Amino acid sequence: MSVIVAKELTTALTALREHGDARLIQGGTDLMVEINFNHVKPTTMISLRDIKSLRMIRTDTPGIMSIGSGVPYSVIEGEPVLTAIPALAQAARTVGSPQIRAAGSLGGNLGTCSPAGDTLPVMFALDASIHLSAIDSSRVVSIHDFMTGVKRSVRQHDEIITAIDFPIINGWQGYSKVGVRNAMVISVASACLVADHENADVRIALGSVGPTIIRCRAAESWLKTTLDLSTRSTISLDVANEFGRRAAEESSPIDDHRSTAQYRRHAISVLASRLLRKAYQ
Amino acid sequence: MAKSSLVTKPRDILGNSALRPDGAHKVQGSFEFTSDLHAENMLWGATLRSPHPYAKIVSIDTSAALALSGVQCVITADDVPGKPTYGLISSDQPVFAQDFVRYMGEPVAAVAADHPETCRRALALITVVYEVLTPLTDPEDAIAGSFAPIHPDGNVIRHQRIIRGEQSISGPIVVEGEYVIGMQDQAFLGLEAALAIPDPDGLGLHLHVATQWLHEDLTQISACLNLPADKIRLTLGGVGGAFGAREDISLQVHCCLLALKAGRPIKMQYSREESFFGHVHRHPATIFMRHHADSNGKIVKIDARFVFDGGAYTSTSPAVLINGITHTQGPYKCDNATVDGYAVRTNNPPCGAMRGFGVVQACFAHESQMDKIAAAVGKSPVEIRLINAMVTGDPLITGQIMESVAPVARCITETDAIPLPELMGQTVNELSLPGGSGLTASRSNIVRGIGWGVSMKNLMYSEGFDDYATARCTLKDGIASLKFATSEVGQGFVTLAPQIARSVLGVDEVILEPIDTQIGSAGSTSASRQTWMSGGAVDGACRLVRERLFHHVGLMHSIDPIRLVIDGTDVIDQLGTFRVSVADASEGIEISETFEHHHRATEELDENGQGNCHTAFAFVAHRAVVDVDPELGLVKVVQIATAQDVGRVLNPLSAIGQVEGGIAQGLGLAVMEEIVMKDGKVRNPSFTDYLLPTALDAPDVVAVMIEEHEPQAPLGAKGIGEPPCISVTPAIVAAIRNAIGKNIERIPVRPQDICL
Ligand SMILES: Cc1cc2nc3c(=O)[nH]c(=O)nc-3n(C[C@H](O)[C@H](O)[C@H](O)COP(=O)(O)OP(=O)(O)OC[C@H]3O[C@@H](n4cnc5c(N)ncnc54)[C@H](O)[C@@H]3O)c2cc1C
């Protein structure tokens, strides 16, 4: 196996185009596990760790925080992300252990594209956009179009995820994740809720309860038609529970060794209800 | 490889918190675990395992693997020169499966090659044709006899009943329940590993291995290799935890066979995934209990039925069964009992020893029952336990008289006296709520519960086993060296043994010689026994040396040796002014003594389960405070208060370490640790899905050590390793029940068991 340690994005992109079976590695917290289990056997690895441009957090575009694909969770947990995109900081805090958070990245979470990826529901709830670059082209894809299935995305082999744009909203946002222990656990069910006060809008995205992250469009619009969200009053328990019930209805969880479909659906209803009440406390 | 280590910290005598000699190395990552061993010209070994829980082996073709470049040899059942099977109690487990595989992960073949990757490829090239059979996975089918025997020895490993007192007696209060305990893994961090080095003449070998009992390994290995025991030398490699999982043979015989066949050193080590298949687990069990009590809640009679799923091979199942059923009553008086117990064979993974050894299962059942009695008679969990608490001199349901110090009531009252944690304030750190870093709850979503668990645990081996430990002490020029075969698996015997020598002999420097089979057996590092047994052996050897030293000093200075005692690091005349340092007194001489410590004899149980089968007992109480999120079914154990009957604290730091670690392990069984099985297949053989408690799951532990010296114990100290993990589990579950007002009879408690 050869390892190419790229210092510049173009070096990595050129190498990626040249080697049809090359694998990109950022923190390696997903990829090295796969390699150690012999699930993948790449002959070429392209390390992105030393590419500085992938480790930047930019705010040059008004209303957008653009986070480089290589920024580790240990950075995302703190400022400036904590204030600008608190749900993302919360999601980052739930990932693995301090060691994993020091290495793992949004690029890797998107590269793996698991429905249990903790930052993905935040991207779905915030309508984030993904920057993809190839050696001779680049494009920006909405997260909703990016993820196509369990561990599947529209990323082409020769593309590198460079950054993720998160709209800064004026309102409340939160991420909650249910796991069977209190830290370092794969989510059994998760939810990110964003209450966009400026646009009188509530958005909720669910993780681990379907083949992709699920945006609960029906529950969102039911809430909008039921309540005038622009007045920002507190939300009754009945309305919150009904919202939770509807969100759970939009999930399609399965039974596996981690949990049951029934529990996952129930957990979603509780999380959605609690997040909504918190948003309008 | 194991080297003699010099322990120089002064005056770390009994009662002081001497530090581990290997502590700093472990913290710094420089400690040499067995998996770090290396030898010149070494090859790697790897094991091919069955993917099926039950299948007939039609054929095995190893030719393609042998043809692979870098492969030295491939071995199967046909290559075992000696006994084809092994086992701790019954030799019924094949070294390699011959005709049938009886559990998922059973070894079928092994390879030796120049690189782990070559091994992996070679394993993939071995073609095994299986005729897959329907596995026996329900223990009740094994008992009912409704399934054809899956092993020549049959599907029931052991059946034992206990019949005591009046069989038809009852009381106004009758409570019952059927309790289910899931399969827990020992999950030690240092994975299975060994290095086998063949002797240059090819007639013997030297095995470095992480194990709990070198001599028992030696006996089993020598039978399978068909080599005399004196041709095999075992040295303890660095061990990273055991908890029972290293009592049975895992890779020992495979590694030796490969080394002898290859004529080169062989290193084997398991991955975490392989480890889940490579060692026995804690028995899953189903226990029915019915307690009859009088209107005050005093136990009149217990009816119980135990079913332990032993999995495919016997391992220690017969002993686990006896431990389980003989602890039906827990630490409470009980004159009448009808108990029926089975340990059965299934195509599930073999189960055997794990910290608590059958008593963990029994305790979950009897403690759940105690709370049901309390509720029925309107008493508190503390009152009901105090009313029933046993004392020294009480007969057990086996007819054995409790001769150990039995401060049961004191354990309960001293635990009860520990202040409860503060109630949650309005502002709380969200990470400390149930759900932890998942931020699933606010303070208003949480209810708090309190629960109790009290346990009795037998110490050392039972049922007539001649259990002993050997140690040698050599005093020379003021330095003591100690030799024993006691496995140091992390419990701290390497800290304790020098403390004993310093206390008894007045030396400062103590050298620990390599831990190997060049001395008599120390017995197993299990059953909370090494402080008592090997501690007794070291103490005995040091006392013999001290006698001879006094004799020598007496001769030299014309003092009757009977007047001499150790004072600090000096020998002094109690009746005069004579004083000489031990270093000076022993200059130029060498005194060496070996001592074997045996515990008192025990008996087998008769057909009615009567007999003095146990050696001694220890007791502990646990009170759990648990925060529960009833809607999501998530929990946070806030505090465990405990008072433990330890006899005597020999090293406060080691003692609290055992207590805190045991509590974490018991917490794991209460709320998260389970090997999930489906149709005989393990669904979660990884730390991604087999969940162990993290720092955010661990509670505050407030512990009181109850020191009533045990007269039977050589140092006055009882074993303290197992009790901490036994009654904490039912205490936590009781706290969950208390918080949500719902009966739960299965562990681990899953979120859905709480909220759905
Ligand atoms: C112990 C442990 C605990 C974990 N806990 C969690 C958890 O709680 N929540 C969670 O969501 N995840 C968890 N993970 C998974 C993992 O840490 C995350 O998915 C992390 O985001 C991966 O990032 P990375 O930089 O390490 O990715 P890598 O392993 O380097 O890469 C992962 C994949 O993404 C691709 N990739 C990486 N960067 C790019 C890029 N810039 N462009 C295109 N493709 C790219 C790689 O080729 C690879 O296929 C855990 C992993 C471990 C080992």
Side-chain angles (χ1 to χ4, degrees), chain A residues 16 22-34 46 48 54 69-70 73 91 94-97 100-101 103-114 116-120 132 146 155-156 159-163 175 177 184-187, chain B residues 688:
Chain A
L16 192 55
R23 290 296 299 262
L24 299 169
I25 180 162
Q26 177 59 250
T29 58
D30 272 325
L31 191 61
M32 289 313 296
V33 175
E34 286 192 68
I46 302 171
L48 307 177
L54 300 183
S69 61
Y73 293 125
T94 75
V95 174
S97 57
I100 297 297
R101 295 198 291 279
S105 65
L106 298 184
N109 222 213
L110 283 167
T112 299
C113 226
S114 155
D118 276 314
T119 62
L120 274 46
L132 292 160
F146 180 85
R155 185 184 79 85
Q156 299 295 309
E159 289 179 311
I160 288 177
I161 301 159
T162 55
Y175 178 74
K177 154 178 166 181
M184 201 164 83
V185 68
I186 296 191
S187 108
Chain B
T688 307

Side-chain angles (χ1 to χ4, degrees), chain A residues 44-108:
Chain A
T44 310
M45 303 258 281
I46 302 171
S47 169
L48 307 177
R49 292 198 63 126
D50 289 354
I51 303 175
K52 292 210 175 59
S53 62
L54 300 183
R55 295 211 166 215
M56 311 254 277
I57 297 177
R58 295 171 193 277
T59 45
D60 353 318
T61 314
I64 299 282
M65 177 170 275
S66 183
I67 302 183
S69 61
V71 177
Y73 293 125
S74 51
V75 172
I76 297 172
E77 278 177 67
E79 297 299 354
V81 181
L82 184 58
T83 302
I85 325 167
L88 185 66
Q90 289 166 0
R93 173 61 184 83
T94 75
V95 174
S97 57
Q99 295 89 329
I100 297 297
R101 295 198 291 279
S105 65
L106 298 184

Side-chain angles (χ1 to χ4, degrees), chain B residues 5 45 56 84 105-106 120 268 335 393 402 412 431 465 477 519 528 556 562 594 608 664 689 698-699 717 745:
Chain B
S5 43
K56 192 171 163 40
E106 176 158 3
R120 195 191 60 76
M268 286 186 91
D335 293 329
M402 170 58 63
I412 297 168
L431 291 182
F465 189 81
D477 296 336
I519 184 168
S528 301
M556 299 277 290
I562 208 138
T594 301
N608 286 329
D689 288 317
E745 301 192 339

Side-chain angles (χ1 to χ4, degrees), chain A residues 201-233:
Chain A
D201 199 11
V202 165
R203 307 192 293 261
I204 182 163
L206 314 178
S208 292
V209 287
T212 63
I213 305 302
I214 292 168
R215 256 298 277 277
C216 307
R217 307 269 178 194
E220 289 173 12
S221 60
W222 171 81
L223 189 68
K224 244 181 155 167
T225 52
T226 307
L227 291 181
D228 179 4
L229 293 169
S230 60
T231 60
R232 289 187 220 168
S233 58

